[in-house]
Amino acid sequence: ANEKISKEEYQNALDKNFIKPENIKNEFITTYYANAALNEASHILGITEKSLIENNYSINTFLDPYVKRSIYDNFTRSDFIVKSTDGETIPYYALILDNFSSGISGYHANFNYDLLNFRRQPGSAIKPILVYAPALEAKTVNPATPMIDEKMVFKGYSPKNYKNIYYGNTDIEEAVKKSINTIAVKVLNDTGLEYSKSKATEMGINFTDNDNSLSLALGGMEY
């Protein structure tokens, strides 16, 4: 009633052992994410990172401190760190995307890297965009179209399935579910490489002049 604690609450507080919070410098938690955000903003605005800082720009990000801390805690565990044969720590990074916002909620690395220039081949993630969406639109296939999953050769190119497992009689729906390589290549071949690339381009995928083989079905892009 008097906005004071009771004697019992006071005594209970005295009985508790104070554990000093672990003091981890902020740069260990957020430096890599902040650097990446500054780098991207400078590219978008066409100014230097130094100008961003000196002119007090505000940068809104999708950083989730809980996700970021979880990445940091796990990636700095001694049993996680991998060393090469000469004892050097192998470079690593983790980048977490939020499925709802499509923003990067967490990023950590043990090396500095320009994320905007970082490119990895998309692998099988490209199949729905480059292979199946164009094929469905062109009516080359539908989900129930029967297919035979077996070793195939396309003008000298022979794709292999994961672990060399082939399923025999199947259909497009199962091929998508199981991410079957041979059928993805066959569908791309039947639909037409240039047509499929044009549809994928409409959805934001960029290709180079060297991206002109059926291996694109499996994400084998130059960049």
Side-chain angles (χ1 to χ4, degrees):
N2 298 319
E3 298 184 353
K4 296 181 180 180
I5 63 174
S6 65
K7 288 185 177 180
E8 182 180 0
E9 289 172 325
Y10 171 74
Q11 190 59 49
N12 286 338
L14 290 179
D15 292 339
K16 298 287 185 182
N17 291 323
F18 174 70
I19 301 176
K20 186 177 180 180
E22 181 183 4
N23 182 23
I24 297 179
K25 292 183 178 180
N26 188 58
E27 62 262 25
F28 289 114
I29 302 296
T30 60
T31 292
Y32 292 107
Y33 191 103
N35 287 346
L38 283 170
N39 184 269
E40 182 177 8
S42 69
H43 277 75
I44 293 172
L45 297 174
I47 62 178
T48 65
E49 293 181 26
K50 182 180 179 182
S51 295
L52 276 173
I53 297 171
E54 290 178 343
N55 290 284
N56 295 319
Y57 281 86
S58 293
I59 301 174
N60 297 316
T61 74
F62 294 92
L63 175 65
D64 184 327
Y66 296 102
V67 172
K68 185 70 181 68
R69 180 57 191 257
S70 178
I71 297 173
Y72 174 84
D73 287 344
N74 282 281
F75 270 52
T76 52
R77 293 199 332 254
S78 59
D79 58 338
F80 184 92
I81 297 173
V82 178
K83 293 185 179 294
S84 62
T85 54
D86 57 4
E88 294 293 326
T89 299
I90 294 176
Y92 64 79
Y93 76 95
L95 187 149
I96 309 298
L97 286 174
D98 184 286
N99 286 333
F100 296 99
S101 67
S102 297
I104 298 174
S105 56
Y107 171 69
H108 184 72
N110 66 347
F111 63 97
N112 287 311
Y113 200 96
D114 180 2
L115 283 180
L116 293 183
N117 293 320
F118 185 72
R119 297 290 182 269
R120 292 287 299 273
Q121 291 183 335
S124 291
I126 201 70
K127 290 175 184 174
I129 299 172
L130 175 66
V131 177
Y132 294 111
L136 290 169
E137 184 168 313
K139 295 182 171 54
T140 307
V141 298
N142 63 61
T145 299
M147 304 291 290
I148 299 178
D149 177 30
E150 59 186 2
K151 290 185 178 181
M152 306 179 196
V153 178
F154 302 89
K155 299 176 182 178
Y157 173 52
S158 181
K160 295 181 180 179
N161 284 347
Y162 179 62
K163 291 186 176 180
N164 283 315
I165 297 175
Y166 299 88
Y167 297 92
N169 291 322
T170 185
D171 57 36
I172 292 297
E173 184 174 358
E174 283 300 308
V176 174
K177 287 181 181 179
K178 295 174 180 175
S179 192
I180 299 175
N181 290 340
T182 54
I183 292 179
V185 174
K186 181 177 184 347
V187 171
L188 180 60
N189 184 62
D190 292 346
T191 305
L193 185 59
E194 292 307 315
Y195 173 83
S196 298
K197 283 171 59 179
S198 69
K199 293 301 176 181
T201 300
E202 291 175 7
M203 290 184 273
I205 304 299
N206 297 318
F207 299 96
T208 70
D209 292 339
N210 294 325
D211 291 330
N212 52 21
S213 70
L214 292 175
S215 62
L216 287 176
L218 312 183
M221 300 169 67
E222 184 174 14
Y223 300 111

